[in-house]
């Protein structure tokens, strides 16, 4: 670790440095990031892009009194390093270590937690208004990427800012990338500003001026000239129409310029937006060459950036199956909300470019857009992570289900997401979807069944959703052509008469293991792949309720409102009183960590199930003995 970096224990240490030292510190931070994340994995590209920005913010502002609100907050690693967490930084995203996002419980300098995009402006405005109401003096700064401005919430906040406060700084960190290339009219608008020759020349000279003179006088000169230039080039600058004074674009890697600008902006008594230009992945050639890959990744070689080839994932099988289904059905269209890479849809795009839609980080819009297409006879498939689909709950109810439109929701990352932590765990989708009339909700036990479920979904007259997990597939043989499954019918894998074990989705492996263990103990265990959470296979439940002493349900979802709860409700409706042992996540936000370790900690294991099931089975044995 560099010697300057070793001397940084708090933001006060940053403030002691001169510009030459800050520039050196920026380089040391980059080396430290590249080396550390090569072992832990993480959001390398975004953080390499905001080294100077974060240093400048901590030079000028005083956290925790001043509030830095990072959008998504995947780019807050340097903030963590500068605010007393450098020594623990090697634990980032590791079990028991630092979280990969801002976390209020982790540190007093993390004033607002995030993980989902588009929240920074609203949250910062809330803090600014709270300050105004309580007579405070602190500065509030929202830092949002260009892709955050593809999100509706950012615009809802923009619409509101100038009416509510006079003191708020918004930093637009523009690197032209979302995870993939940023998309849409806003991205093009930013691009036009950035690439306008006259404006760029003007800004280069403005920057030189600031560096030469420094301080407010120079900035005032710059501002006057800037206003003149802007009125010449853009009579109606977007942000100005929203009532925010727009500054920029300036070089987001020029530390003195950033510092001087923030010193000036903090004195403004009107809301301001500073547009800075940064390079995602700056300082690491593999990240500059592979923007998508280095947005966020697992461990890599710190010299070459190479990663080990992964196993086939559910996302890949989803994408390849969708290509296959779209080949024979021209009504099929694919929609992603800024996640072509993560959902696998970037594999679909080259096959059917006209039927592929990246709408930006706009899940609500994605779903309503899909609803619109469905009214015109198309078969939209929305590939949205379980956690991000939470955003679109109302459109799913109001636009899709209520109108019985045949939109298919393919929910990747359903279940525990592991290293990313609570903002990214997909643990609530069954609870939020299963109460919606018309919805068909499925979970495949393996990749072959995922393909069948996609085919089934596309054959339905109304809405449906399929939940499947992050990561590698089960590795089973796949049929050449997917089949339509009988809706609401479970698959009985092993018959039995003492206990019926239902394992939803890939949790079927735990169900099968439990079955084997119980057989060894002398019990007859049925193992059932439910396939459908809704409609539930009541017939099969009824059949087993007459035979078994206990049901066991396994699900990678919160127990409350989940699959096991659906089974209990169904049995109760039938007037059956067989006990149900539910294995799933407790009513608690689960921290980040390794999936297996977290399952062990929270009792999502065969052992935990055995401990609950055996006494119930023993009770039945005793009753049988007494009866005989
Ligand atoms: C609601 C929501 N949808 C999708 C994502 C996935 N996601 C994480 S970061 C990101 C791109 C962010 O781009 P930008 O804000 O420009 O920041 P950059 O990484 O380029 O610095 C996306 C789409 C998310 N975090 N939240």
């Amino acid at each position: 670790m560099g010697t300057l970096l070793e001397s940084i224990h708090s933001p006060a240490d940053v403030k002691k440095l001169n510009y030459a030292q800050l520039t050196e510190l920026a380089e040391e931070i980059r080396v430290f990031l590249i080396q550390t994340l090569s072992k832990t994995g993480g959001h390398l590209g975004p953080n390499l892009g905001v080294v100077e920005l974060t240093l400048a913010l901590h030079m000028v502002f005083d956290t925790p009194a001043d509030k830095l609100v990072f959008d998504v907050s995947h780019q807050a690693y340097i903030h963590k390093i500068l605010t007393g967490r450098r020594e623990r930084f090697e634990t980032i995203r590791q079990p028991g270590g630092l979280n990969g996002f801002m976390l209020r419980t982790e540190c007093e300098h993390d004033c607002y937690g995030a993980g989902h995009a588009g929240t920074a402006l609203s949250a910062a405005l809330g803090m600014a208004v709270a300050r105004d109401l309580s007579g405070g003096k602190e500065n509030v700064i929202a830092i949002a990427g260009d892709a955050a401005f593809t999100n509706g919430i950012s615009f809802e906040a923009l619409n509101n800012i100038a009416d509510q406060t006079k003191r708020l700084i918004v930093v637009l960190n523009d690197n032209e990338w979302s995870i993939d290339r940023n998309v849409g009219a806003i991205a093009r608008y930013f691009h036009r500003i950035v690439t306008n020759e006259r404006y760029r020349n003007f800004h280069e000279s403005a920057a030189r001026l600031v560096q030469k003179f420094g301080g407010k006088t120079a900035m005032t000169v710059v501002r006057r000239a800037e206003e003149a230039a802007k009125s010449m080039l853009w009579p109606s600058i977007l942000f100005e129409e929203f009532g925010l004074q727009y500054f920029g674009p300036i070089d987001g890697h020029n530390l003195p310029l950033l510092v001087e600008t923030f010193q000036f902006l903090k004195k403004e008594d009107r809301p301001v937006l500073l547009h800075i230009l940064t390079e995602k992945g700056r300082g690491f050639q593999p990240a500059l060459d592979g923007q998508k890959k280095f947005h966020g990744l697992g461990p890599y070689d710190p010299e070459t950036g190479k990663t080990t080839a992964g196993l086939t994932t559910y996302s890949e099988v989803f994408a390849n199956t969708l290509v296959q289904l779209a080949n024979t059905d021209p009504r099929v269209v694919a929609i992603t909300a800024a996640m072509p890479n993560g959902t696998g849809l970037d594999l679909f795009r080259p096959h059917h470019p006209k039927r592929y839609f990246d709408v930006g980080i706009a899940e609500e819009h994605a779903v309503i857009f899909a609803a619109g297409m469905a009214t015109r006879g198309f078969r939209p498939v929305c590939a949205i992570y379980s956690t991000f689909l939470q955003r679109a709950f109302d459109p799913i109810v109001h636009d899709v289900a209520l109108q019985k439109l045949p939109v298919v929701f393919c929910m990747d990352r359903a279940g525990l997401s592991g290293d990313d932590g609570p903002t990214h765990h997909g643990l609530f989708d069954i609870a939020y979807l299963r109460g919606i009339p018309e919805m068909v909700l499925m979970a495949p036990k393996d990749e072959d069944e995922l393909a069948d479920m996609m085919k089934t979904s596309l054959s339905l007259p109304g809405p449906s959703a399929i939940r499947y997990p992050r990561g590698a597939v089960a590795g089973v043989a796949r049929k050449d052509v997917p089949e339509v499954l009988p809706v609401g019918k479970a698959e009985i894998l092993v018959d039995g008469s003492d206990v019926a074990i239902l394992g939803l989705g890939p949790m079927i492996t735990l169900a099968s293991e439990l079955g084997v263990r119980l057989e060894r103990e002398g019990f007859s265990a049925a193992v059932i792949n439910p396939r459908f959470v809704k409609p539930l296979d009541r017939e099969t439940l009824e059949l087993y309720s007459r035979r078994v002493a206990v049901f066991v349900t396994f699900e990678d979802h919160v127990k409350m409102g989940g699959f096991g709860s659906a089974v209990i409700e169904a049995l109760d409706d039938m007037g059956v009183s067989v006990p149900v042992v539910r294995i799933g996540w407790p009513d608690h936000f689960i921290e980040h960590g390794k999936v297996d370790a977290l399952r062990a900690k929270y009792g999502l294991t065969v052992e935990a199930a055995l401990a609950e099931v055996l006494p119930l089975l023993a009770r039945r044995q005793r009753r049988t003995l007494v009866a005989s």
Side-chain angles (χ1 to χ4, degrees), residues 546-557:
R546 280 190 251 113
R547 293 189 201 160
V548 300
V550 53
F551 283 96
V552 183
T553 60
F554 281 97
E555 62 192 304
D556 193 1
H557 185 275

Side-chain angles (χ1 to χ4, degrees), residues 11 15 57-58 60-69 79 83 107-111 127-128 131 136-141 167 266:
K15 290 185 171 67
L57 287 167
H58 280 290
V60 176
F61 299 103
D62 294 310
T63 61
D66 289 335
K67 309 297 174 200
L68 301 182
V69 185
H79 166 78
T83 51
C107 177
E108 60 175 349
H109 294 270
D110 289 7
C111 65
M127 289 179 194
R131 171 204 58 208
K137 294 265 171 290
E138 69 272 20
N139 297 288
V140 182
I141 304 100
R167 284 188 55 226
K266 89 189 240 192

Side-chain angles (χ1 to χ4, degrees), residues 74 115-117 145-147 175 177 280 295 339 361 363 388 391:
H74 62 306
H116 290 197
D146 48 308
N175 53 29
W177 286 85
K280 209 164 171 171
H295 173 87
M339 302 298 284
I361 310 177
E363 288 78 7
F388 301 142
R391 281 272 169 94

Side-chain angles (χ1 to χ4, degrees), residues 445 491-495 499-520 523-531 551-556 563 581 583 599 604-607 609-610 613:
K445 70 176 186 305
E491 182 191 26
I492 296 163
L493 298 175
V494 181
D495 196 12
V499 51
I501 311 164
L502 299 111
L504 186 70
M507 296 298 268
I508 196 68
T509 51
L510 295 192
S512 300
E513 226 177 283
L514 177 66
V516 171
R517 293 283 293 275
L518 287 170
E519 292 278 342
R520 259 190 245 146
F523 297 104
S524 164
V527 179
I528 301 165
N529 166 24
R531 283 184 173 158
F551 283 96
V552 183
T553 60
F554 281 97
E555 62 192 304
D556 193 1
F563 169 67
V581 170
I583 304 292
R599 280 187 183 176
L604 278 81
T605 58
V606 171
E607 295 304 328
L610 269 175
V613 174

Side-chain angles (χ1 to χ4, degrees), residues 23-225:
T23 308
E24 207 177 309
L25 178 61
E27 286 324 302
E28 288 183 14
I29 289 173
R30 285 204 165 85
V31 173
F32 180 60
L33 276 176
I34 295 164
Q35 291 296 334
T36 310
L37 300 192
S38 73
K39 292 176 227 127
T40 60
H43 288 100
L44 181 65
N47 282 289
L48 287 175
V50 296
V51 178
E52 288 81 8
L53 170 65
T54 316
L55 284 169
L57 287 167
H58 280 290
M59 278 296 281
V60 176
F61 299 103
D62 294 310
T63 61
D66 289 335
K67 309 297 174 200
L68 301 182
V69 185
F70 288 91
D71 201 80
V72 188
S73 80
H74 62 306
Q75 76 291 51
Y77 291 11
I78 296 114
H79 166 78
K80 293 199 182 214
I81 291 170
L82 302 181
T83 51
R85 285 167 278 181
R86 174 182 52 76
E87 278 161 16
R88 279 188 296 149
F89 191 70
E90 285 173 9
T91 69
I92 196 155
R93 293 161 59 88
Q94 305 306 300
L98 296 178
N99 189 276
F101 298 91
M102 296 269 274
L103 206 57
R104 280 168 60 81
T105 49
E106 189 178 283
C107 177
E108 60 175 349
H109 294 270
D110 289 7
C111 65
Y112 200 80
H116 290 197
T119 63
L121 273 64
S122 299
L125 178 60
M127 289 179 194
V129 170
R131 171 204 58 208
D132 298 346
L133 282 177
S134 49
K137 294 265 171 290
E138 69 272 20
N139 297 288
V140 182
I141 304 100
I143 303 113
D146 48 308
F149 289 84
T150 63
N151 186 270
I153 310 176
S154 298
F155 278 87
E156 290 167 34
L158 277 175
N159 187 45
N160 199 215
I161 288 173
D163 286 350
Q164 306 293 356
T165 188
K166 289 188 164 168
R167 284 188 55 226
L168 177 68
I169 299 174
V170 177
V171 180
L172 158 57
N173 171 33
D174 184 0
N175 53 29
E176 301 208 350
W177 286 85
S178 182
I179 293 178
D180 218 280
R181 272 254 171 230
N182 200 11
V183 295
I186 288 291
R188 282 194 296 280
Y189 175 74
F190 292 159
H191 188 74
R192 273 205 308 280
I193 298 179
V194 172
T195 52
N196 185 295
E197 196 70 17
R198 285 169 72 192
Y199 208 39
R200 216 182 32 215
N201 288 342
F202 163 73
H203 271 279
E204 272 160 20
S205 47
R208 277 197 298 277
L209 196 70
V210 171
Q211 271 171 299
K212 198 161 154 202
F213 299 112
K216 190 176 172 178
T217 341
M219 280 309 298
T220 314
V221 176
V222 170
R223 207 175 84 200
R224 273 200 214 116

Side-chain angles (χ1 to χ4, degrees), residues 430 433-443 460 463-465 487-489 504 530-537 563 566:
I430 297 177
L433 291 176
R434 122 182 138 76
I436 304 175
E438 306 293 345
M439 186 61 70
V440 172
L441 178 54
M442 303 169 240
L460 295 173
S464 56
V487 175
K489 201 77 211 110
L504 186 70
R531 283 184 173 158
F532 293 83
V533 176
K534 188 180 182 183
L536 256 186
D537 185 348
F563 169 67

